[in-house]
Amino acid sequence: SSELTQDPAVSVALGQTVRLTCQGDSLRSFFASWYQQKPGQAPVLVVYGKNTRPSGIPDRFSGSRSGNTASLTITGAQAEDEGDYYCNSRDTSGDHWVFGGGTRVTVL
Amino acid sequence: QVQLQESGPGLVKPSETLSLTCAVSSFSISSGYHWGWIRQPPGKGPEWIGNIFHSGTSYFNPSLRSRVTISVDTSRNQFSLKLTSVTAADTAVYYCVREAYDILSNWGQGTLVTVSS
């Protein structure tokens, strides 16, 4: 079982805002990274660290952390934002990595 | 931009050993960072398998540790994964990754390995 917990699914109306959450003890010590995955493709890093987006990722994606919970916010969701989103961080030992079970985002 | 490319058999028989190699380009493994493997069973989330530093220091997922070997070949700028005694539960897309500080910064495109007789 994952040491990071995510909601299985969420839906958002086109142009609206949605927040995905990821809970786990390791997040008190380590920032989460967030990946977007579309069918048949490798995961793509969208946010990492305190709130950093890799080059090419739209600024509607943002990250935050409070206590043991990390959040990914999509502000003004677009149809192309549909997919599975996974959070990831080091585990509490710092030597291993863990993933959340993923959240499927549907844009209505 | 560093690039990673997995290669190896797409079909492995039950009880045999799964072997994959990751070729790294545009960056020398000897320069640093950890290099690792992640897998994703069909319809499920990713699972970290383990990693290795260029010096050979490695860490493994406790649930797989007894069956996993990761090695590095700095002369060929590549690293490899061996998973022994495979079963159908090991069927997955296997990705190689570069770990940069606290992020899995670069991923290969992934390769599907099916365990079946």
Side-chain angles (χ1 to χ4, degrees):
Chain A
S1 62
S2 301
E3 295 179 34
L4 296 178
T5 302
Q6 298 182 249
D7 293 328
V10 66
S11 60
V12 57
L14 185 68
Q16 296 303 300
T17 296
V18 63
R19 188 179 74 165
L20 312 182
T21 61
C22 173
Q23 288 188 302
D25 288 340
S26 62
L27 299 179
R28 296 185 185 278
S29 303
F30 300 101
F31 287 110
S33 296
W34 291 91
Y35 297 87
Q36 177 194 70
Q37 187 175 37
K38 299 189 178 183
Q41 298 181 19
V44 173
L45 183 65
V46 295
V47 168
Y48 65 93
K50 200 170 185 179
N51 180 20
T52 303
R53 287 174 286 104
S55 174
I57 302 299
D59 61 5
R60 63 179 178 271
F61 292 92
S62 62
S64 62
R65 180 180 70 173
S66 177
N68 73 337
T69 300
S71 299
L72 173 71
T73 301
I74 308 175
T75 303
Q78 302 299 303
E80 60 264 32
D81 298 335
E82 279 201 342
D84 295 325
Y85 289 79
Y86 295 97
C87 62
N88 151 256
S89 80
R90 292 187 180 277
D91 73 352
T92 51
S93 76
D95 293 328
H96 305 153
W97 297 81
V98 290
F99 286 87
T103 297
R104 176 152 295 179
V105 173
T106 300
V107 179
L108 304 174
Chain B
Q1 172 79 329
V2 60
Q3 293 186 316
L4 299 91
Q5 178 66 59
E6 306 89 350
S7 63
L11 181 64
V12 181
K13 289 183 169 54
S15 81
E16 295 191 345
T17 296
L18 178 160
S19 297
L20 296 174
T21 296
C22 180
V24 179
S25 57
S26 301
F27 187 89
S28 173
I29 286 180
S30 300
S31 296
Y33 297 117
H34 281 85
W35 305 85
W37 291 93
I38 289 166
R39 70 180 184 179
Q40 186 171 24
K44 297 186 178 181
E47 177 184 38
W48 179 74
I49 298 172
N51 66 14
I52 192 165
F53 195 55
H54 66 83
S55 63
T57 303
S58 55
Y59 295 95
F60 301 107
N61 186 322
S63 68
L64 298 169
R65 179 180 290 127
S66 64
R67 298 194 291 131
V68 173
T69 302
I70 297 177
S71 59
V72 63
D73 185 342
T74 54
S75 66
R76 295 185 177 185
N77 213 41
Q78 63 186 32
F79 59 103
S80 300
L81 168 72
K82 290 188 186 299
L83 180 66
T84 62
S85 305
V86 298
T87 69
D90 295 310
T91 293
V93 175
Y94 285 75
Y95 298 97
C96 56
V97 298
R98 182 178 78 166
E99 303 176 11
Y101 306 106
D102 286 339
I103 64 171
L104 303 171
S105 60
N106 303 89
W107 294 55
Q109 66 183 27
T111 187
L112 174 63
V113 179
T114 301
V115 178
S116 176
S117 55

